[in-house]
Amino acid sequence: MFGIIIHEKEKLEIQYLLKREMDEILYDLEDERIDHIVKRAMKERYKILFSLFTRVAPHNECMNYIIDTRKKEKM
């Protein structure tokens, strides 16, 4: 287990980077041309990023990035 001390500005930058990366993954998951094996790896990456995001972002922002399970099955 690691602990980290960061300033508010650094926390906001981390939130921004994680949101940007998660938005890219969500966008790419809807692309029909991407193979399901690649999409599975993208979903695993998304889970890791979302886990990090929940540690630095307020609850109401995290709610925007929860993947709907019904939508997830289609992807």
Side-chain angles (χ1 to χ4, degrees):
M1 173 166 298
F2 290 101
I4 185 170
I5 298 174
I6 56 175
H7 294 284
E8 185 66 25
K9 236 179 177 179
E10 294 167 329
K11 183 177 110 175
L12 293 173
E13 183 67 24
I14 291 169
Q15 286 178 13
Y16 171 76
L17 293 171
L18 290 170
K19 284 197 288 189
R20 200 170 96 195
E21 188 65 26
M22 289 189 301
D23 284 337
E24 278 293 318
I25 291 173
L26 289 174
Y27 177 77
D28 288 343
L29 283 174
E30 297 195 10
D31 191 342
E32 302 283 329
R33 299 171 294 171
I34 298 176
D35 190 48
H36 73 280
I37 295 170
V38 175
K39 284 186 179 183
R40 188 175 344 137
M42 291 166 61
K43 289 176 189 176
E44 288 300 315
R45 180 173 168 83
Y46 187 89
K47 287 179 189 176
I48 294 167
L49 293 172
F50 183 75
S51 175
L52 290 169
F53 186 65
T54 58
R55 296 169 191 255
V56 295
H59 179 72
N60 61 339
E61 285 197 40
C62 294
M63 296 299 289
N64 296 330
Y65 287 92
I66 293 177
I67 297 178
D68 185 10
T69 54
R70 291 168 289 175
K71 192 177 189 182
K72 187 178 173 184
E73 290 172 2
K74 293 178 185 175
M75 292 179 190

